[in-house]
Amino acid sequence: MKRILIATAAAAALFGAVALAPESADAAGRWRINFTPGEMANVISGGKASYYMTYSVKNASGSARKAPIRIELRTETKKTYGDHYDAGTSRAVAKDEGKVRHSTRAIRSTELADSGAADGLASFGRIDPNADELEVRVYGLWDPIVRDKRGRTFAERRVLVLKYKRSGDEYNRPSDTITFVSRAEEVEGEPKQLHTE
């Protein structure tokens, strides 16, 4: 199995700067899980490229908890690729790094101690060869319950959005460089007020 790395040194240096901070619950008392993206790359198997992203998570909630994360990749060509376990990709990354990374599903089902961390692997499989703009969306990093100053309670879906650019044209896409563009936090949809009796 041939493996092609497509993260540049500049992008790798930038990844270290995009870890979420601070490493504790936010000012409103909401718990959070810190997420640090690693490289975006692909593995070649049977002449096809399967794309993946390495990452690490750290429980910054102040108490033991599971990290209820979910990751997906979206393209400007309106395609969405869910993160799933892929044995071939997992083996190739473990061989390259000399360590085993957990699938996102495994991380979701394991309780992390306070300040506990885990190394993960998000596998997206084959993606549209016409896609140049890649957007990774990470859900489940923040407590979905928000309380305002008036004591009202809302459900909010906050998401970490990581944007990447893939250079080149639709030919020989696995060899094209993927570079990190930006990181942002977004609230998806409108917060919904929860009625309490």
Side-chain angles (χ1 to χ4, degrees):
M1 188 179 303
K2 182 180 175 188
R3 181 169 181 271
I4 299 176
L5 298 179
I6 50 183
T8 64
L14 186 55
F15 287 139
V18 298
L20 295 178
E23 293 191 358
S24 62
D26 66 18
R30 296 169 68 187
W31 60 258
R32 70 180 301 154
I33 303 294
N34 290 338
F35 185 95
T36 304
E39 72 176 342
M40 175 80 79
N42 66 60
V43 169
I44 306 297
S45 177
K48 302 290 184 180
S50 291
Y51 287 80
Y52 69 87
M53 181 184 72
T54 60
Y55 66 90
S56 63
V57 292
K58 182 176 181 181
N59 178 8
S61 69
S63 61
R65 75 174 55 252
K66 292 182 179 179
I69 63 172
R70 180 174 63 85
I71 305 173
E72 63 182 35
L73 172 68
R74 296 181 184 179
T75 68
E76 89 282 9
T77 57
K78 307 299 183 196
K79 303 285 176 61
T80 300
Y81 302 90
D83 168 22
H84 60 278
Y85 174 73
D86 180 88
T89 301
S90 184
R91 282 193 302 268
V93 173
K95 182 178 179 182
D96 181 67
E97 293 188 339
K99 68 177 181 179
V100 175
R101 287 182 173 271
H102 303 286
S103 69
T104 302
R105 181 177 181 179
I107 288 175
R108 269 197 310 267
S109 63
T110 303
E111 187 169 271
L112 293 175
D114 182 31
S115 297
D119 293 321
L121 178 68
S123 298
F124 305 111
R126 300 170 185 165
I127 64 174
D128 186 350
N130 297 306
D132 297 319
E133 297 173 18
L134 310 177
E135 180 181 279
V136 176
R137 300 178 72 83
V138 186
Y139 298 86
L141 299 175
W142 289 270
D143 184 350
I145 305 302
V146 183
R147 291 173 182 81
D148 69 9
K149 292 179 181 178
R150 295 170 53 191
R152 297 177 301 176
T153 304
F154 295 84
E156 174 191 86
R157 180 179 285 186
R158 185 169 293 269
V159 57
L160 172 64
V161 180
L162 304 167
K163 293 190 178 181
Y164 299 85
K165 182 80 172 174
R166 182 165 63 168
S167 62
D169 54 29
E170 68 271 21
Y171 301 103
N172 198 22
R173 292 312 317 243
S175 64
D176 291 341
T177 300
I178 295 178
T179 54
F180 177 79
V181 176
S182 67
R183 176 190 71 74
E185 296 173 10
E186 295 179 3
V187 175
E188 193 173 85
E190 292 294 324
K192 296 181 181 177
Q193 185 171 359
L194 302 176
H195 298 285
T196 56
E197 297 295 331

